């Protein structure tokens, strides 16, 4: 039994969906399938489901035409402020590490990304804080380094990354992650990659979920790796998976923010 936690937030709940990567840097690729396109498809489906529910106000960072106007304008207007935001957060974190009030831990390996992308990710966090976003969901598909990336890899399964417990938004983010995890587990196995064992992973380095403590305590943030890209090489099953993943993710978000309190306790205290 995994306890289902309920959020303390007031409707409309503000959700930011971040389909990982973009048309310039598309992340993983298998054959002619690009991760950025997969991410966008799932994110758009989640967006459409939540938009139908008046209790949510939903934002998405890009659509089929690229980054949305809101974010294009924001990055232009706030370029220097984003750089300052990142620099300041890193400097405060460095002081905490030096004085021992923040303990560094080993994290699963992540791809190194360009300065431009780093800045964009910090920009999303700054925007989320300023717009009092309640939940941020980063959407990705996985891959891992191997000799020939056109061979079908050996790993499969999903992973949800959440902030390390030392970050301000850790507790609430972990509960949102647990609710989405509970839904995805109904249909999918958790990652068989040893460094992702268990499927719910705390992380310090991912900017998306608040590295350097850059997200407000109320900005719950998770990064979902829905599965390994080569597992979705069949177009028909891929489309089916997108729909299932979006439905289950949206159900997890709704359960976390709105499931009836008494319902979540009734089957624990018999």
């Amino acid at each position: 039994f995994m306890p289902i936690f309920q959020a303390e937030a007031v409707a409309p709940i503000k959700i930011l969906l971040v389909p990982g990567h973009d048309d310039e840097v598309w992340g993983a690729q298998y054959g002619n399938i690009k991760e950025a396109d997969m991410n966008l498809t799932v994110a758009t489906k989640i967006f459409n489901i939540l938009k139908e529910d008046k209790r949510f106000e939903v934002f998405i960072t890009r659509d089929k035409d690229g980054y949305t106007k809101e974010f294009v304008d924001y990055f232009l207007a706030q370029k220097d402020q984003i750089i300052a935001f990142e620099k300041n957060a890193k400097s405060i974190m460095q002081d905490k590490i030096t004085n021992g009030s923040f303990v560094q831990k080993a994290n699963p390996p992540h791809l190194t990304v360009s300065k431009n992308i780093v800045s964009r990710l910090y920009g999303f966090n700054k925007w989320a804080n300023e717009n009092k976003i309640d939940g941020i969901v980063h959407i990705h598909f996985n891959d891992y380094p191997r000799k020939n990336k056109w061979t079908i890899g050996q790993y499969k399964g999903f992973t949800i990354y959440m902030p390390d417990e030392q970050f301000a938004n850790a507790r609430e983010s972990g509960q949102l992650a647990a609710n989405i995890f509970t839904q995805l587990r109904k249909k999918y196995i958790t990652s068989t990659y040893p460094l992702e064992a268990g499927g719910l992973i705390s992380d310090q380095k991912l900017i998306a979920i608040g590295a350097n403590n850059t997200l407000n305590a109320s900005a719950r943030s998770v990064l979902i790796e829905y599965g390994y890209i080569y597992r979705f090489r069949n177009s028909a099953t891929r489309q089916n998976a997108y729909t299932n993943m979006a439905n289950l993710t949206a159900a997890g978000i709704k359960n976390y923010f709105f499931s009836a309190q008494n319902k979540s306790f009734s089957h624990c205290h018999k």
Side-chain angles (χ1 to χ4, degrees), residues 75-95:
F75 285 118
L76 276 173
Q78 294 278 317
K79 191 177 177 207
D80 295 343
Q81 291 91 324
I82 292 167
I83 292 166
F85 172 75
E86 177 189 342
K87 208 169 156 185
N88 182 48
K90 285 178 173 172
S91 141
I92 293 170
M93 182 54 72
Q94 200 44 63
D95 289 348

Side-chain angles (χ1 to χ4, degrees), residues 49-61:
I49 295 166
L50 294 180
K51 208 177 60 175
E52 289 298 303
D53 188 328
K54 293 294 166 261
R55 300 172 300 180
F56 290 97
E57 189 179 350
V58 203
F59 304 87
I60 192 163
T61 54

Side-chain angles (χ1 to χ4, degrees), residues 20-29 33-37 39:
H21 309 293
D22 56 31
D23 292 340
E24 286 167 37
V25 182
W26 52 78
Q29 182 171 0
I33 312 163
K34 292 177 177 171
E35 186 200 344
D37 298 336
N39 299 341

Side-chain angles (χ1 to χ4, degrees), residues 34-47:
K34 292 177 177 171
E35 186 200 344
D37 298 336
M38 300 173 76
N39 299 341
L40 181 60
T41 305
V42 175
T44 305
K45 286 178 182 288
I46 298 170
F47 179 85

Side-chain angles (χ1 to χ4, degrees), residues 214-258:
T214 41
L215 283 168
N216 291 343
S218 56
R220 307 147 179 87
S221 189
V222 299
L223 184 147
I224 308 171
E225 295 274 8
Y226 283 98
Y228 282 83
I229 188 165
Y230 44 78
R231 300 270 165 197
F232 300 93
R233 56 196 185 277
N234 176 314
S235 148
T237 54
R238 187 164 70 244
Q239 298 306 322
N240 206 10
Y242 291 155
T243 301
N244 289 330
M245 288 163 174
N247 285 332
L248 294 167
T249 305
I253 294 168
K254 289 183 182 191
N255 282 356
Y256 169 65
F257 284 106
F258 293 112

Side-chain angles (χ1 to χ4, degrees), residues 78-207:
Q78 294 278 317
K79 191 177 177 207
D80 295 343
Q81 291 91 324
I82 292 167
I83 292 166
F85 172 75
E86 177 189 342
K87 208 169 156 185
N88 182 48
K90 285 178 173 172
S91 141
I92 293 170
M93 182 54 72
Q94 200 44 63
D95 289 348
K96 286 183 172 178
I97 291 165
T98 306
N99 70 28
S101 62
F102 186 91
V103 181
Q104 286 185 296
K105 298 174 189 156
N107 297 275
H110 302 298
L111 292 173
T112 40
V113 290
S114 72
K115 229 172 127 171
N116 197 7
I117 292 171
V118 165
S119 183
R120 191 171 294 142
L121 289 165
Y122 278 108
F124 292 148
N125 288 359
K126 183 173 180 289
W127 183 91
N129 288 341
E130 291 162 3
N131 288 276
K132 300 190 165 41
I133 295 296
D134 297 299
I136 307 162
V137 182
H138 288 259
I139 288 143
H140 286 262
F141 282 81
N142 224 336
D143 205 358
Y144 70 99
R146 55 193 182 281
K147 201 153 66 185
N148 177 1
K149 66 176 192 156
W150 302 124
T151 57
I152 294 170
Q154 62 186 28
Y155 302 120
K156 57 184 172 187
F158 77 91
T159 309
I160 303 179
Y161 283 92
M162 55 194 182
D164 180 86
E165 72 266 7
Q166 297 170 86
F167 290 135
N169 66 334
R171 185 176 165 274
E172 294 281 352
S173 297
Q175 293 173 359
L176 172 60
N179 275 270
I180 297 172
F181 179 90
T182 301
Q183 295 299 318
L184 289 174
R185 267 302 294 275
K186 291 177 175 175
K187 207 157 180 60
Y188 300 103
I189 64 162
T190 57
S191 176
T192 57
Y193 184 48
L195 293 172
E196 293 175 332
L200 268 174
I201 310 285
S202 293
D203 193 277
Q204 294 184 345
K205 293 282 185 243
L206 286 169
I207 305 162

